[in-house]
Each structure stands twice: as structure tokens, then as C-alpha cells.
Amino acid sequence: MSTPVISAREAEVLALLGEHLSNAEIAARLFISVRTVESHVSSLLRKLEVPDRRALSRHAAERAPAEQARPAPALPAPLTSFIGRARERGELAEAVRAHRLVAAVGPGGVGKTRLALAVAADVAAEFADGVWFIDLVSVTDPERVGAAVAAAAGVGEQPGLGIDDALLAALADRQALLVLDNCEQVRDGVAPFLERLLTSCPRVRVLATSRARLMVPFERIFPVPPLSRAGGDESEAVALFMDRAAAVGWPPGPAVSEGVVSICERLDGMALAIELAAARWSTLGLDGLADGLADQLRILTGGARADDRHRSVRAVLDWSHDLLEPRDQALLHRVAVFVAPFTAAAAAEVAGFAPLDPGAVADGLGRLAEQSLLTVVPSASGTRYQALETIRQYGTERLADAREPDTVRSRHLDWCLAGATALGDASGADWRARFDALADDLRAALTWAADQPRRRADAHRLALSLAELAFTRNLLGEAQERYEQAARLADDATGAVALRHAAAVAGCRRLGDDMFRLHRAAADAARRAGDGVGAGRDLAAAATVAYRFSTSFTRMPPVDEVTAMVAEARELSGGAPAAEADVALAEAAVLADAFGAIQGDLDHTADTARETVGRAEHAVALARRAGDPVAESAALDALSGAQSWAGESFATAAAARRRIDILASAPPTPASTHELMDALAMAAGTTVGVGELPEARQWGRRLADHPLLAEAGHHATAWLLVADAFAGHADDVRTRSVRFLDAWEQSGRQQSLSLGAAAASVAMIHGLRGDHDARAAWLAIVDRADTAAEHRLGYGAVFDATVLLHRGDAEAALERLAPEPDQVWKWVCWIWLHWYVALRAEAAVLAGHPDARDRIDAARTVVVGNPVATAQVDRAEALLDGDLPRQLAAAAAFDAAGCPYQSARTLLLAGGEHAAAGAAALAELGLAPAAVR
């Protein structure tokens, strides 16, 4: 037999019957009519199946206290599951236990009511006399708040007492919880009612939900935040979306979780918005939802609801908006133009015009925050305000309805222009924070201004400022985009300048195709502006880029096309000094292949190498005469390359280092920054080439620490990895290789000589450690990071031979280095020549090759001045002669040159009592013991 359901009021009547009270006494105790008592008694007789009133009294008296009917919580039964909010649920429950009045405050649609209902159910057992839920949404008269509460609690009017007094008398000694929902619209009535209630009824507690604080001194505010998006597809917001999407018969699977995360982020974690979006999943799909959220107010609608306020996000916001005074409505519309958190001063500047008084804006912001239409955001620079995206879209729409968008957006644009100007001074520890706080508004203002013909000049000015600021902030992709946008907004002459800056930024990003395209676009703009000399310089720059940075191209420009550009640039130069310098550099790059480009097919003989050096020296002289440090640095890069073709390794390194000194006087433009990063890389690489490892590591560390390479760890660490690998610093190489590999993977696996060499150096270290699997994995990376020829004939031969000699396989090393240097000149002359010839000499000695002595003599003439390679050749000769003192002298020379690996290996090769010291030194470096012949 089922247990009869006894209502809260019936339970109260039954308990009083157990005290043998009459109907009149019960009516007086409960403040209800005698007729109502009689009705409850009749209902109890029927439900409990007892014959008369006396039996009811006995039944009530016989029930044990623990079994006595406790009023069931008078709470609405939710129709959907409650998702997430474990932390807020626990904290709000504790607040209810600790405080008489707790106000759960938040914007419409954030989920205040559901959270309050869940908490009320959690704590209901702690309130002996019950929990009542009172929805004030239908109450329009502030004087009727008490009546609404009385109706929910079952308290009727009493003779001589108003309904509020009757309610207070009924609840005077009750231990109860009242849940008052939607207090914002009758806040003026709720506050005085609750003050009387809580004073007169000391055991009653109140949990209120409101979009605005009740503004009474005894309330405890509990801000209800949006659903958490932390944890990606494991977040509360995504869990709610998944649950509601499953309810409409189309549960999203793991493949779309990333898109769902993005949608929840765009909806700011607002519960109602997420539920409405999920409800449209089955008809719109992920892509349709993502596109539609550009207009959230249109797409986030549902079917008819018992409460029309929750039918759509727009309805929720209409409700809140209509509660505002006209002046606060106007302020909400106007501050909707701000994208990022803004200060009161900023709001006064943008929104403070008639009918609003600028001096009253701060007070208005406070009122909007109290209504949960703005969020207060504390920051290091003071209090800021922000509207959630849905509210911002709503305010923007209302701004259009008020026919004020042009006025407000113009004022916002002027504010942004002033802010961008103030950020032009990039000094101060807080500069980045100040830029980040303003950047989104700069972008929004630019988007609007770019479509306003009368503000086109301001749009160009803002685009240029944003490009410069983004570059300083290391946002290179945006900097390039904004320079290109500035060019579109300017006349041809000014646009050409912006395009040159964009090309330089593309160079910092190692996007050869973009550099080439943008220099050509600059040439076209200059030509349209009647600047033939400028057009010639841009054509020369584009041609130079095609050869100088050939490894950074995805599609190589045809050789004939580039050669024709050089000829046209020569015709347009007109004898102008700067143009002549640019053309001379282009001729050295394209006609003489000073940079050893991928598409270059010149076989550099001694005569052609001298011609290339001559062309490059001419370009350097012209650039110096023109007083352009950036152009001189580029020409020196060509000279460095030309000298490497001539086998002049020390001159190659010296020219690379000169670039850094020259660029010290150049202003910090994108072009000079690009040159400096390239100069540091070349200084590090060419210094490795002449065996100056400590200095190479210094240049490498400076490059690795360059702020523009913070997100490009593969390029940042490439030459430092090579220098450390040659020195034998295994732990440093292994640590930095993690950054290198992560960045290289994220970059889309870019290809260049320096990246291939870096990966090969890591593979070498793993080989020296005896980790063959790791070495194989890194060699596979080398195959993807550079051309096969470079690895097979250039640095690959050097690194592979080093590992083979470490293993004691001199014959295999000899085979790996079989080609004479002049047979593989293009691949070894730049950096690897000294290492190549020194290793060939050592392999010949250890393998017992008959030409070992000749190879030693040939190598010595090449490597003279290189401390590491010279010590290696000395060691080879000492091994050949069996000269132990010279071997030990070589070990000391390696130590002095900053190459502890070769020093330790020398001791091991020396044998006897020195071998143990060598093995210990290798172990300290993290390397495996080397094999000896």
C-alpha cells in the first residue's frame, strides 16, 4: 500500500490535532479560517483511512518524532537535469547556513534560479518548518510582495491584520527558508518587506535571486558567474551543451568537441544562451551555429515557454532593459561600443554627451553594474566595466534604434586614436598590459572606420598605428595584416611605404612568398604614384628576396621573371644612390648567386667567386654611401655569402658580425628588426664555422632570447643547438630540443638549412649518447626540415661522421666523407668546410688510409686560425705519429676552445691512465663512452 501524500499545511493541522486542539484553536494558531481547518481534517480522514477525529488525534500522538510528517519543500520540479556548478552550489549552501539573507546576483540567463532551486533542495532538511519558493515575476506592485509570499506559504488574511502582519505572525517562530526569485523588478518593495520579515521572524532565512543587489545592509551578496569554460571539452559549459543537444536527438560526438568549446566561449558561458544554442544543434549543425552567433539575439531563440522571458536571449534582455530609467538605457546603448573592459573616464569621454552629463556617467555605470548588465572588472590600473557579448550586441542594436551609432562610434574612434598615440611610447613595464587592454577596441574602431568614407584618413592613421603597436607587441601576423590594410586605405605613394613595412614583417615571419608579393605590390603602387625610382627599389628588393631567402618560399618565382625584374630595376634607378645600392645587391644576389640560392645553378670557380665578392663589395660601398644601415647590412650578408664561395671562412664570419654593429644605429623598424634577427643567426652560424664556439653560443643565446622569436622556438634555438652540440653540452641540447621540436611542429614543419642543421645536431648528440632510436627519430625530422642534398653532402656528413668516429667505425666515417671538398663545395663552403676537412683527416688516420698524411697537410692549410679544427688536425697527426704529448696538448687546446667533448675524447684516444679521465668527462657531459681503435 502506498504512503499517502500529506501536504505541508495538512501536516501542520495533524500535529495540532495531536495536541488535542479544537478547530478554532488550530485556526487561530495557523492564522487560517475554521472552514479551512475543517477542509484539512476531512482530507486527513480520507487519506489516513481513519473513522473519526479522535482516531486522527491518536494517530498524530502515536507517531514518533522522527517519523512525524515534515513539510515537503514547496519547490518547483525542474524539467531538465542540473549540470555542473559543484563549487557554487556548495558555497551558496554554506552562505545560506551562515547568513539570514543571501542574494544570488547575476545577469539574466546566467542560471540564478536553477542554482537557487538546487541549493534550496540541498538544505531543505535543515529547515523543520519547510521551504517555500516565491516567484515575483508576476508581481508589479511593490506593496504586494508580502501578499505573494503569504500565498506561497498558505497564510490567509486575519481579522484586524493586514496580509503582511498575518504572514509575520504566522512565521514568527517558524524555522523556514524562503526562496524569492526575480526580485529586481520590485526591489523597492522587497527590501523593506525583508527587513520587517527578518526582524520579526528570527528563525526564517531568505535566499533571493536578482539581477540587482537589494541594497540593504544585512544582505550577503553571492555573485553567480557564467558556467566555467575551464577544461575545454570537460568544462561545465560544454557539459550543459552536450546534455541539451542530446535531448533534441542529435548528440554531438568527440569530433566536434573543439567546435562546441568555441561556441561556449563565444556565449560567455551563459546558461540560457547555451541551452538555446544546443536546442538548435540538430537543425543548424556546428557550422551553422558558429556562423549564426555573429547575431546571437536572432539565433538564440526557442519555442513558447511558460515564462516568455526565457523564450529567447532577446526577451531576457528586454526584461532587464525595460527596468532601467531612460538615462541608464542610453548609457547602456552607448558603452556597448566598447569591446574590452573600460574605465569610467573612457565611458564619460565616449558616452557623456546630451542628454547624459559626463559627470554622471560613473554613477550610471554603478547602477548598470548593480543590475548585472555590466560586470565590474578590478585591474591593476583601477576599476573597469565590461558587458558580456550578448549584452553588448543587444546594446549595439538598441544604439542603432536610437539613431546614435555614428555619433557614438565616431567618439569611440577619436578615443581610440588618442589611446593609440599614447601607446606610441613603448616604454614602461606595463606597456604590454596597456596595449592588451586597448587592442580589441582599436580593432573594432578600425573595422567601423574603414567603411566610413568621411573617416578614411583616420582609419588609415589607426591602421598604421595598430600595425606598429602589434609589431612591438610581437603580434607579427596582425602587424603585417594592418600594414596591408593601411596601404589599402591610403593613396599610392603612402600605400607603397606601408607595403614595404608589411614585406619586412613578412620577412620576420620567414614568409618568402609574402615578401616577394608585397615588394612587387609596393613597386606597382610607387609606379602609379609616379615614383619610378621607388618602384625600381621595390623591384630590386623583390628580386633579392627571391634568392636571398629562397628556402622560405613555398612557390619559387621563375628565374627568368626575377632576372627581368633586376633589369627593369636597373632602368628605373635613375642613378639615385639608394636605388643604385639596391640594384647592385639584386645583381649580386640574382646574377652572381651570392647567397647560394636553391634555384641558383652557378658552379663557383675561383674566378666566379672573385667576381661575386666584387659585386657584393660594390653593393656594400653603395649602401654605405647612401647612409642606409639596413641596406648595408643586406649587402654585407651578400658579401659574407660571396666570401664563403671563395673559401674565406674567417672573412665570412667577420662580415656577418659587422652587420650587427652597423644595425645598432638603425631605428627599430620592421626592416631593421628583420635584418638584425638574420644577422644574429648568420653571426652564430659563421662563428661555428670558424670554431669559435663560446662566441657562437653567445650569438645563439642572443638570438634565442629575441622577443620576436618567442613563438618561433625552432628558429630561435637552431644555431645555439648546433654550437652546443659541437661543444658536447648534451643536457643543454636535449632541453632546448624540446622547444625546437614543439615550435617546428606548430609552424607546419617549416624547411630551411638552419632548421635541418639544428635537427641533425640533436641527432648527433643522441648518437653520442648511444640512443639509436632517438637519433633515428631526429634524422627523420632532418629529412623533412631541409633538402636531401644539404643533409647528404653538407652538415649531414659532418654530424654523421662525428657519431661514427665516436663509435669507433672509422671506415664508415671515411666513406661518409669520401667526396673531396671541391666536389661538395656548395654544401660545405659556408659553415662546414673546416669541420669537414678536419674530420676527413682524422677518419683517414684512424682507418689507416694511405693518404692520411696528405689529408692532414691539406686540412691544416684550410683550418689555420680555427681553434677546434686545428686541435682536431693536430690530434690526428699525433695519433698518426704515436705522439702522446701532442695528443694531450690537443686535449688542452680543445678545453681552451670551449669544446669539452673533443677534449674528453682525446683523453680516451690517448689510452692508458688518461682513458679513465676521458670516460669520466664524457659521462659528466651525459655522453656514452667513445670507442677506441
Side-chain angles (χ1 to χ4, degrees):
M1 179 177 177
S2 61
T3 302
V5 178
I6 299 175
S7 71
R9 179 61 81 190
E10 289 170 343
E12 292 176 321
V13 171
L14 181 60
L16 294 176
L17 286 171
E19 297 178 18
H20 304 288
L21 298 181
S22 67
N23 286 354
E25 290 172 324
I26 293 173
R29 181 77 64 88
L30 297 181
F31 297 96
I32 56 179
S33 67
V34 174
R35 181 171 296 180
T36 300
V37 175
E38 291 173 350
S39 175
H40 287 316
V41 170
S42 297
S43 177
L44 288 167
L45 290 171
R46 184 178 64 257
K47 290 180 178 180
L48 297 176
E49 298 180 349
V50 294
D52 53 31
R53 180 189 183 88
R54 182 173 297 178
L56 273 179
S57 297
R58 284 198 303 268
H59 181 87
E62 291 170 356
R63 295 172 68 182
E67 296 175 351
Q68 288 181 357
R70 178 186 298 274
L75 300 174
L79 300 178
T80 55
S81 58
F82 185 81
I83 302 295
R85 294 204 183 277
R87 180 183 61 80
E88 292 96 330
R89 190 169 178 172
E91 290 179 356
L92 182 54
E94 287 303 314
V96 169
R97 294 184 181 104
H99 304 282
R100 300 284 311 285
L101 170 61
V102 179
V105 176
V110 79
K112 301 183 297 295
T113 300
R114 289 301 304 272
L115 177 60
L117 287 172
V119 169
D122 292 341
V123 302
E126 302 172 29
F127 293 89
D129 294 311
V131 176
W132 290 289
F133 177 82
I134 303 96
D135 189 354
L136 298 177
V137 70
S138 60
V139 178
T140 57
D141 182 357
E143 300 297 327
R144 297 292 299 167
V145 171
V149 176
V155 175
E157 293 187 12
Q158 296 296 315
L161 292 176
I163 189 64
D164 285 10
D165 292 329
L167 175 66
L168 297 180
L171 299 181
D173 60 351
R174 300 293 179 91
Q175 184 182 11
L177 173 66
L178 304 183
V179 181
L180 269 62
D181 196 29
N182 297 300
C183 295
E184 60 275 353
Q185 60 162 357
V186 284
R187 187 172 58 163
D188 290 344
V190 170
F193 166 76
L194 289 181
E195 186 167 3
R196 287 189 65 200
L197 173 76
L198 296 177
T199 301
S200 303
C201 308
R203 302 175 67 198
V204 170
R205 293 177 184 267
V206 175
L207 171 58
T209 76
S210 179
R211 301 180 195 187
R213 292 174 52 193
L214 302 180
M215 301 302 288
V216 291
F218 48 89
E219 72 177 317
R220 181 75 173 192
I221 301 300
F222 185 90
V224 179
L227 287 168
S228 171
R229 281 94 72 205
D233 57 7
E234 299 295 326
S235 70
E236 293 179 343
V238 170
L240 177 64
F241 185 100
M242 297 293 195
D243 181 83
R244 302 307 191 249
V248 297
W250 200 308
V256 299
S257 63
E258 184 175 341
V260 173
V261 170
S262 175
I263 286 174
C264 292
E265 284 287 351
R266 292 178 64 182
L267 295 176
D268 296 310
M270 296 294 286
L272 175 62
I274 290 172
E275 290 187 326
L276 292 172
R280 305 205 65 181
W281 169 274
S282 60
T283 55
L284 292 178
L286 184 64
D287 52 349
L289 273 176
D291 292 341
L293 289 183
D295 185 357
Q296 297 182 14
L297 301 177
R298 177 181 59 82
I299 200 169
L300 298 180
T301 60
R305 299 281 296 274
D307 181 356
D308 281 342
R309 293 174 307 122
H310 291 155
R311 183 173 182 174
S312 69
V313 170
R314 186 190 302 278
V316 169
L317 295 176
D318 281 341
W319 170 267
S320 297
H321 180 270
D322 292 345
L323 296 176
L324 299 175
E325 296 181 10
R327 56 178 177 164
D328 290 342
Q329 290 178 347
L331 181 58
L332 178 65
H333 307 162
R334 293 174 181 180
V335 297
V337 298
F338 288 103
V339 181
F342 56 89
T343 64
E349 191 169 339
V350 172
F353 61 95
L356 297 181
D357 179 358
V361 166
D363 187 38
L365 294 174
R367 288 192 297 272
L368 291 176
E370 289 166 8
Q371 294 289 339
S372 299
L373 291 168
L374 293 179
T375 301
V376 179
V377 183
S379 72
S381 58
T383 300
R384 291 177 178 265
Y385 299 87
Q386 183 176 33
L388 297 178
E389 180 59 24
T390 49
I391 297 174
R392 202 177 72 80
Q393 287 189 19
Y394 180 84
T396 301
E397 185 180 279
R398 287 284 192 152
L399 185 66
D401 293 342
R403 299 181 180 179
E404 288 188 336
D406 286 353
T407 301
V408 176
R409 290 199 177 278
S410 287
R411 293 172 69 96
H412 181 249
L413 173 61
D414 293 338
W415 176 78
C416 286
L417 285 167
T421 300
L423 282 172
D425 178 7
S427 61
D430 65 338
W431 185 88
R432 279 193 167 201
R434 289 189 291 120
F435 170 82
D436 291 344
L438 185 62
D440 284 339
D441 279 290
L442 298 182
R443 294 166 186 136
L446 177 56
T447 298
W448 176 79
D451 290 331
Q452 307 298 314
R454 64 186 182 83
R455 302 302 301 260
R456 188 178 182 87
D458 289 322
H460 168 259
R461 177 182 156 204
L462 184 55
L464 205 58
S465 292
L466 185 52
E468 295 167 353
L469 295 171
F471 185 79
T472 303
R473 183 62 177 83
N474 298 344
L475 302 175
L476 301 187
E478 181 173 11
Q480 180 181 330
E481 174 191 349
R482 300 305 178 187
Y483 276 124
E484 294 190 54
Q485 185 178 17
R488 293 192 297 271
L489 293 167
D491 58 47
D492 287 325
T494 306
V497 176
L499 289 168
R500 289 166 195 145
H501 287 313
V505 178
C508 294
R509 302 174 69 200
R510 290 173 174 78
L511 300 178
D513 305 78
D514 276 6
M515 291 181 72
F516 186 76
R517 169 182 63 83
L518 290 165
H519 277 302
R520 295 201 68 176
D524 291 340
R527 190 181 286 108
R528 289 193 300 269
D531 181 9
V533 173
R537 295 190 68 186
D538 289 318
L539 287 173
T544 300
V545 163
Y547 275 66
R548 184 184 179 193
F549 302 109
S550 60
T551 60
S552 66
F553 278 75
T554 57
R555 176 190 171 276
M556 200 67 64
V559 172
D560 292 345
E561 176 184 338
V562 176
T563 304
M565 290 168 59
V566 175
E568 185 179 0
R570 169 61 66 190
E571 292 176 4
L572 292 170
S573 64
E580 287 291 316
D582 290 339
V583 172
L585 175 59
E587 290 173 342
V590 177
L591 305 182
D593 192 23
F595 297 104
I598 292 176
Q599 66 270 42
D601 59 357
L602 284 179
D603 181 12
H604 282 282
T605 63
D607 289 337
T608 59
R610 280 193 294 272
E611 179 187 347
T612 303
V613 170
R615 284 183 177 273
E617 288 177 335
H618 179 58
V620 171
L622 289 175
R624 185 180 300 117
R625 192 178 308 158
D628 186 342
V630 172
E632 186 175 353
S633 170
L636 281 168
D637 193 29
L639 179 59
S640 180
Q643 288 167 329
S644 74
W645 285 121
E648 300 172 2
S649 299
F650 289 97
T652 298
R657 288 193 294 266
R658 279 174 58 196
R659 295 174 60 193
I660 299 172
D661 294 334
I662 289 169
L663 289 169
S665 64
T669 64
S672 65
T673 302
H674 177 218
E675 275 297 321
L676 178 59
M677 289 196 299
D678 184 74
L680 288 171
M682 295 304 100
T686 56
T687 307
V688 166
V690 294
E692 297 174 358
L693 297 183
E695 187 176 356
R697 295 179 73 204
Q698 290 177 6
W699 293 125
R701 276 194 291 269
R702 184 172 168 185
L703 180 66
D705 293 338
H706 196 289
L708 280 189
L709 294 179
E711 304 299 326
H714 49 320
H715 290 292
T717 61
W719 288 114
L720 188 53
L721 283 170
V722 172
D724 278 336
F726 274 127
H729 299 298
D731 290 341
D732 290 340
V733 170
R734 292 168 63 201
T735 299
R736 290 194 179 94
S737 69
V738 175
R739 179 185 176 193
F740 174 94
L741 184 56
D742 286 347
W744 181 70
E745 294 281 1
Q746 292 173 9
S747 75
R749 300 180 177 181
Q750 291 179 330
Q751 194 177 67
S752 79
L753 182 150
S754 62
L755 298 180
S761 72
V762 179
M764 182 188 79
I765 284 294
H766 285 296
L768 298 181
R769 296 182 68 250
D771 190 339
H772 308 303
D773 291 340
R775 180 168 188 260
W778 277 91
L779 288 176
I781 293 170
V782 176
D783 290 338
R784 296 194 296 271
D786 200 3
T787 62
E790 290 286 358
H791 180 233
R792 187 175 67 254
L793 301 172
Y795 58 78
V798 170
F799 290 129
D800 288 350
T802 300
V803 173
L804 292 169
L805 288 174
H806 186 84
R807 295 177 181 172
D809 194 348
E811 288 77 9
L814 194 64
E815 178 62 26
R816 190 71 178 85
L817 300 164
E820 295 288 340
D822 58 2
Q823 293 178 302
V824 291
W825 193 253
K826 180 175 181 178
W827 295 278
V828 302
C829 65
W830 177 47
I831 287 177
W832 317 110
L833 177 61
H834 291 189
W835 300 94
Y836 190 85
V837 298
L839 284 165
R840 285 185 91 239
E842 180 177 326
V845 170
L846 294 176
H849 193 279
D851 294 336
R853 183 75 64 183
D854 292 338
R855 290 193 178 186
I856 289 171
D857 292 341
R860 192 176 296 284
T861 61
V862 173
V863 304
V864 61
N866 181 322
V868 178
T870 297
Q872 195 163 7
V873 173
D874 286 344
R875 181 179 65 193
E877 188 171 39
L879 288 168
L880 183 63
D881 296 337
D883 189 337
L884 180 59
R886 287 184 63 196
Q887 291 182 52
L888 298 179
F894 282 126
D895 279 329
C899 190
Y901 163 65
Q902 291 293 358
S903 174
R905 185 166 172 271
T906 302
L907 295 176
L908 205 66
L909 289 170
E913 62 185 33
H914 306 291
L922 287 173
E924 187 174 347
L925 289 170
L927 303 175
V932 294
R933 50 176 184 161

